[in-house]
Amino acid sequence: VIVNPIQTITTQPLASQDICRGGIIAPLTVAYTDGVGTATYQWYSNTTNANTGGISISGANGSSYTPPVFNTPGDYYYYAMVSLSGSGCGSVASATALVHVVADPTVTITPSSQTICQGTTPTNLVVTPSGGVGTYSYQWYSNTTNNTTTGTSLGASATSATYTPLTTALGTRYYYCIITQSGLGCEVTSTAVSVEVVAAPAVNTQPTPTQTVCLNGAPTPLSITLINGTGTPTYQWYSNTVNALTGTAIAGATSLSYVPPTSATGTLYYYCIATYNSGGCTTATSNIAEVIVNPIQTITTQPLASQ
């Protein structure tokens, strides 16, 4: 008569696993030693941390069991009963395995869009995740179209919560971040944000380069138009006694056009500076315009008064 020890569980199912909704855990596995006879297995689910009183799971009759997808957050407990056919061996329960299911993480991304001048410093893109379970990991992507499925990974240099987009090339690109966690099945993708890179501002139409008028005459207004840049610029006209961009700001001359005064004779030089306060764009300066104001003509040779 050979008397063997009662079987004991030598490999317990993983004690605890964290997972996000919609994920699948690693298989739960048991192994035993001792006992005698043919082994049968039955897995149970439970609402409490106990290896008794659970509900048997139909079809879960192997040494390993993988629960189906978890769609509802909460705590789920599992254990296995190992039964042997040998006389008196009976059944032995494994330890319980906890599956902790949480809602998927969420994420916000800022700013939602920006337009910036070529070669200047942009506003950093920042993602702020919350929820889920475990440590966050980040990977940024760029795309030429506004979606979050066909982008190109920006590689090892773009793996933090903050990313500085490039501004070397003109055009619009879209950026998004995929955030994963150490918890099983925990992943979230941010929305895509646009970064438009435009050419630096420039003066498209220059003021009349030179004009001559008589004292108190009506000059041609000095006017400019602008191209490129972003945002609404402010304007300031300057005057100078020499042909140089070192003039003095003219009070009230803050529009695209300026009518130079002709109340005094002489030559003055004018130019306009447009200043941009958004998108990293700086200034655009017009060419210098020369305005010559001559005295009213006088008759120097009169006809003979009497003959």
Side-chain angles (χ1 to χ4, degrees):
V1 176
I2 301 172
V3 179
N4 285 334
I6 295 292
Q7 66 272 22
T8 56
I9 306 293
T10 54
T11 299
Q12 300 283 358
L14 193 59
S16 179
Q17 298 186 66
D18 294 323
I19 187 171
C20 283
R21 182 173 52 195
I24 297 177
I25 65 168
L28 304 174
T29 301
V30 293
Y32 73 94
T33 188
D34 295 328
V36 66
T38 302
T40 58
Y41 303 88
Q42 179 61 58
W43 288 89
Y44 293 80
S45 64
N46 211 346
T47 57
T48 61
N49 187 13
N51 61 0
T52 59
I55 299 173
S56 64
I57 302 170
S58 176
N61 306 120
S63 59
S64 292
Y65 170 65
T66 302
V69 173
F70 292 93
N71 292 315
T72 304
D75 289 337
Y76 300 83
Y77 298 92
Y78 299 91
Y79 62 94
M81 297 292 292
V82 180
S83 304
L84 292 179
S85 59
S87 176
C89 293
S91 300
V92 175
S94 72
T96 57
L98 167 65
V99 179
H100 179 60
V101 183
V102 300
D104 291 325
T106 60
V107 61
T108 59
I109 183 170
T110 57
S112 59
S113 64
Q114 60 180 302
T115 302
I116 191 164
C117 275
Q118 186 178 25
T120 56
T121 302
T123 300
N124 286 337
L125 306 178
V126 180
V127 287
T128 305
S130 61
V133 63
T135 303
Y136 297 111
S137 297
Y138 307 89
Q139 182 61 65
W140 287 89
Y141 293 77
S142 69
N143 207 344
T144 56
T145 57
N146 188 10
N147 69 61
T148 59
T149 57
T150 62
T152 301
S153 170
L154 295 172
S157 62
T159 55
S160 70
T162 300
Y163 176 70
T164 304
L166 299 178
T167 61
T168 52
L170 297 176
T172 300
R173 295 197 72 85
Y174 300 89
Y175 297 89
Y176 61 94
C177 186
I178 295 179
I179 301 170
T180 56
Q181 287 179 278
S182 53
L184 296 172
C186 298
E187 181 177 293
V188 63
T189 301
S190 74
T191 57
V193 297
S194 65
V195 177
E196 181 184 9
V197 179
V198 298
V203 178
N204 188 41
T205 302
Q206 299 286 353
T208 303
T210 301
Q211 57 178 305
T212 302
V213 296
C214 283
L215 184 68
N216 295 319
T220 299
L222 305 176
S223 298
I224 64 169
T225 61
L226 300 168
I227 57 172
N228 304 327
T230 181
T232 302
T234 57
Y235 310 96
Q236 180 62 62
W237 287 89
Y238 294 80
S239 67
N240 206 347
T241 56
V242 295
N243 187 4
L245 298 173
T246 57
T248 301
I250 304 169
T254 55
S255 66
L256 283 169
S257 294
Y258 173 66
V259 180
T262 59
S263 56
T265 59
T267 300
L268 289 176
Y269 301 90
Y270 299 91
Y271 60 93
C272 183
I273 296 178
T275 302
Y276 291 77
N277 292 321
S278 64
C281 305
T282 53
T283 61
T285 303
S286 74
N287 294 340
I288 295 175
E290 179 186 48
V291 178
I292 304 169
V293 180
N294 285 332
I296 297 292
Q297 68 272 20
T298 58
I299 296 178
T300 56
T301 301
Q302 298 285 353
L304 191 61
S306 175
Q307 295 187 53

